[in-house]
Amino acid sequence: MLDKNGIAKRIAKEVKNGYYVNLGIGIPTLVANFVRDDIEVEFQSENGVLGMGPFPFEGEEDADIINAGKQTITTMPGASFFDSATSFSMIRGKHVHLTILGAMEVSENGDIANWKIPGKMVKGMGGAMDLVASAENIIVAMMHTNKRGESKLLKRCSLPLTGVGCVTKVVTNLAVFEIKNNQFYLLERAPGVSVAEIKNATEGTLVVEGEIPEMNL
Amino acid sequence: MINKKVDSIEEALKGVSDHMTFMLGGFGLCGIPENAIAELARKGVKNLTCISNNAGVDDFGLGLLLQNKQIKKMISSYVGENDEFERQMLSGELEVELTPQGTLAEKCRSAQAGFPAFYTPAGYGTEVADGKETRVFNGKMHVLEMAYKADFAFVKAWKGDEAGNLIFKGTARNFNPLMCGAATITVAEVEELVPLGVLDPNQIHTPGIFVQRIFQGEKFEKRIEQITVRQRS
């Protein structure tokens, strides 16, 4: 089974040379730590920066330079700043190649829910609805089950949706899935996790074709 | 040159009253019009509708107006990190309209640019699209979103001049340039009000035509929400 860093490490393998990538808050933010350093990638943050770098050294934080998680950051050579409309032109206009975001629930038809628990928690969707409505290459990073051990990979989402039929790939602490034909296709198992364990933890329709390899991290 | 400079914060906020709709720039606490917000809190105007990506934190930014119960309705994309906001929203004291961030940006820009409405794919199939017109373009569903209408826009820039020209710094730019000229009156507060001719016309982010009043803010706290650092190796 993977921890959050393990999920990020696996997703980092999906980041290809020449990609502009938008990373969501939480596990997705960790992906930047694991991207191979022999490829050229630029990270976009929807609050208005392209070419995000690592966190600043202590004492060098700048209140005017933050990411979408409101964390202080630095920029890489070649970076740019822009307004929020330009930022979402990059996203809506499909100029960003890969979007990685977290979710509370994902369904077998590619719906995603990650912004609201009615009566309990309403933080808002931020840029997530814009991202999932337009991006063609979306990877969801999430824990496979909730704190009560219930599956978050469902037949239908129970929470208010963020987007419909948009998720194509899911990486959890247990496995990697592709979503197509209204089903979760099991692609890889996390180290030490059996197909039976994955079946048990998945409420949505699961397709297991042939021998399922263990992830190569 | 048409002079936009006002000499005091009182003059900058002249005409502000109860029941008005305001746009306020900023993302989180980054690039928010701190001086205008402090003055709105001091004036105590009430029943306000505020269009702002976020709602500040409990004791800073728009959180100050929430504490005073000056806000009737918030229009935002993300409102986490604010306990008082959550309390007022869940108890029904505060009306909240959550809008996707890119849509919020474009609703400001449309108001600035004279577009009454636009279609976006964001929010289709979700409760954000409830009651809105939808239409297929290129085989994909889109939602019709209306431009905002506001009485005042309060924005914050790094540098500006008396002609109202503005330059922003870093990610403090965010929604600020889009709100300029998107309301009846745009009030810009700047860290540094420089003499005419100092700003290079090639480097202006927002031309002065979109700004009605400009002043140098007395104080900018520029609070950081999440200080994240790395170790020197």
Side-chain angles (χ1 to χ4, degrees):
Chain A
M1 198 187 303
L2 301 174
D3 60 5
K4 289 181 177 179
N5 276 303
I7 296 173
K9 200 171 176 184
R10 173 60 191 81
I11 292 175
K13 292 176 55 143
E14 307 286 325
V15 179
K16 304 286 192 293
N17 188 38
Y19 270 16
Y20 292 105
V21 182
N22 180 288
L23 301 178
I25 296 164
I27 301 171
T29 305
L30 301 171
V31 172
N33 301 333
F34 300 105
V35 173
R36 280 163 46 192
D37 46 15
D38 61 337
I39 61 173
E40 294 298 331
V41 173
E42 282 196 38
F43 292 106
Q44 196 251 20
S45 198
E46 64 270 21
N47 59 315
V49 55
L50 190 61
M52 227 189 326
F55 294 146
F57 291 119
E58 201 173 343
E60 292 176 5
E61 319 84 75
D62 184 339
D64 291 327
I65 303 180
I66 63 169
N67 63 17
K70 286 125 187 165
Q71 299 171 310
T72 46
I73 53 157
T74 58
T75 53
M76 302 297 285
S80 57
F81 296 116
F82 34 83
D83 66 64
S84 303
T86 305
S87 181
F88 283 91
S89 297
M90 295 175 188
I91 291 163
R92 207 183 299 106
K94 305 186 199 300
H95 306 285
V96 173
H97 299 105
L98 175 62
T99 291
I100 303 166
L101 77 174
M104 298 171 187
E105 295 177 348
V106 170
S107 70
E108 63 192 28
N109 58 331
D111 294 352
I112 175 171
N114 71 354
W115 69 285
K116 181 179 183 180
I117 303 174
K120 244 168 107 186
M121 186 285 293
V122 186
K123 289 190 187 299
M125 67 292 282
M129 283 192 183
D130 307 90
L131 282 158
V132 300
S134 294
E136 283 168 335
N137 193 4
I138 300 174
I139 301 177
V140 168
M142 67 195 292
M143 301 308 279
H144 204 104
T145 55
N146 63 23
K147 281 171 191 151
R148 294 182 300 280
E150 297 156 350
S151 182
K152 293 163 73 174
L153 281 67
L154 307 170
K155 288 190 178 304
R156 287 286 171 274
C157 293
S158 65
L159 296 171
L161 296 180
T162 307
V164 292
C166 51
V167 177
T168 49
K169 203 161 210 180
V170 183
V171 179
T172 76
N173 50 323
L174 302 185
V176 180
F177 304 90
E178 190 183 353
I179 297 181
K180 60 179 182 189
N181 310 325
N182 293 325
Q183 289 162 319
F184 291 103
Y185 282 74
L186 180 58
L187 300 183
E188 298 172 25
R189 296 172 293 113
V193 175
S194 69
V195 171
E197 283 174 88
I198 296 164
K199 266 186 185 157
N200 261 335
T202 307
E203 189 220 88
T205 311
L206 185 69
V207 178
V208 182
E209 288 177 339
E211 198 70 17
I212 304 299
E214 198 169 278
M215 286 177 204
N216 179 11
L217 296 165
Chain B
M1 188 271 304
I2 302 169
N3 196 336
K4 309 291 174 71
K5 189 187 166 203
V6 292
D7 291 318
S8 66
I9 182 88
E10 291 80 12
E11 207 185 322
L13 270 71
K14 202 177 154 202
V16 162
S17 67
D18 294 353
H19 303 285
M20 279 189 163
T21 298
F22 299 153
M23 291 177 167
L24 300 108
F27 179 93
L29 300 178
C30 183
I32 59 171
E34 297 183 23
N35 291 274
I37 292 170
E39 180 64 10
L40 287 169
R42 197 194 61 77
K43 283 173 92 89
V45 282
K46 285 195 163 52
N47 284 310
L48 305 173
T49 297
C50 292
I51 302 164
S52 171
N53 188 60
N54 311 86
V57 294
D58 280 319
D59 61 345
F60 197 58
L62 284 178
L64 296 173
L65 304 190
L66 285 166
Q67 295 281 0
N68 292 345
K69 307 235 164 70
Q70 289 174 260
I71 303 178
K72 180 189 69 179
K73 181 178 181 182
M74 250 341 281
I75 300 173
S76 303
S77 86
Y78 187 85
V79 292
E81 279 74 71
N82 190 325
D83 294 339
E84 177 61 16
F85 183 99
E86 199 157 13
R87 192 198 64 72
Q88 288 186 21
M89 174 170 58
L90 292 175
S91 73
E93 289 165 59
L94 179 71
E95 201 183 326
V96 178
E97 182 179 312
L98 289 164
T99 302
Q101 194 177 334
T103 300
L104 197 152
E106 209 59 28
K107 281 164 81 92
C108 295
R109 204 192 72 85
S110 294
Q112 176 194 61
F115 291 116
F118 58 92
Y119 279 100
T120 175
Y124 177 76
T126 77
E127 62 183 56
V128 163
D130 286 351
K132 292 175 184 165
E133 287 181 44
T134 55
R135 186 170 162 182
V136 182
F137 293 95
N138 304 318
K140 185 171 172 149
M141 291 305 292
H142 291 74
V143 182
L144 185 68
E145 295 281 1
M146 303 291 169
Y148 287 130
K149 280 196 177 77
D151 298 294
F152 279 82
F154 297 107
V155 304
K156 188 260 167 181
W158 180 35
K159 292 179 181 179
D161 63 21
E162 292 179 7
N165 295 309
L166 302 176
I167 293 179
F168 303 91
K169 178 171 165 264
T171 53
R173 191 179 322 185
N174 55 64
F175 293 84
N176 285 297
L178 310 168
M179 292 178 173
C180 291
T184 307
I185 296 175
T186 297
V187 180
E189 57 188 80
V190 296
E191 288 180 53
E192 201 184 336
L193 191 63
V194 302
L196 273 186
V198 169
L199 300 180
D200 176 355
N202 287 301
Q203 306 293 332
I204 302 292
H205 293 136
T206 295
I209 191 170
F210 294 122
V211 175
Q212 278 70 47
R213 303 173 189 171
I214 190 167
F215 68 101
Q216 183 166 315
E218 191 185 314
K219 174 180 149 239
F220 287 97
E221 187 180 331
K222 299 205 333 182
R223 205 186 285 188
I224 298 174
E225 241 171 290
Q226 310 239 15
I227 297 181
T228 43
V229 295
R230 77 188 128 130
Q231 298 305 312
R232 287 172 203 276
S233 51

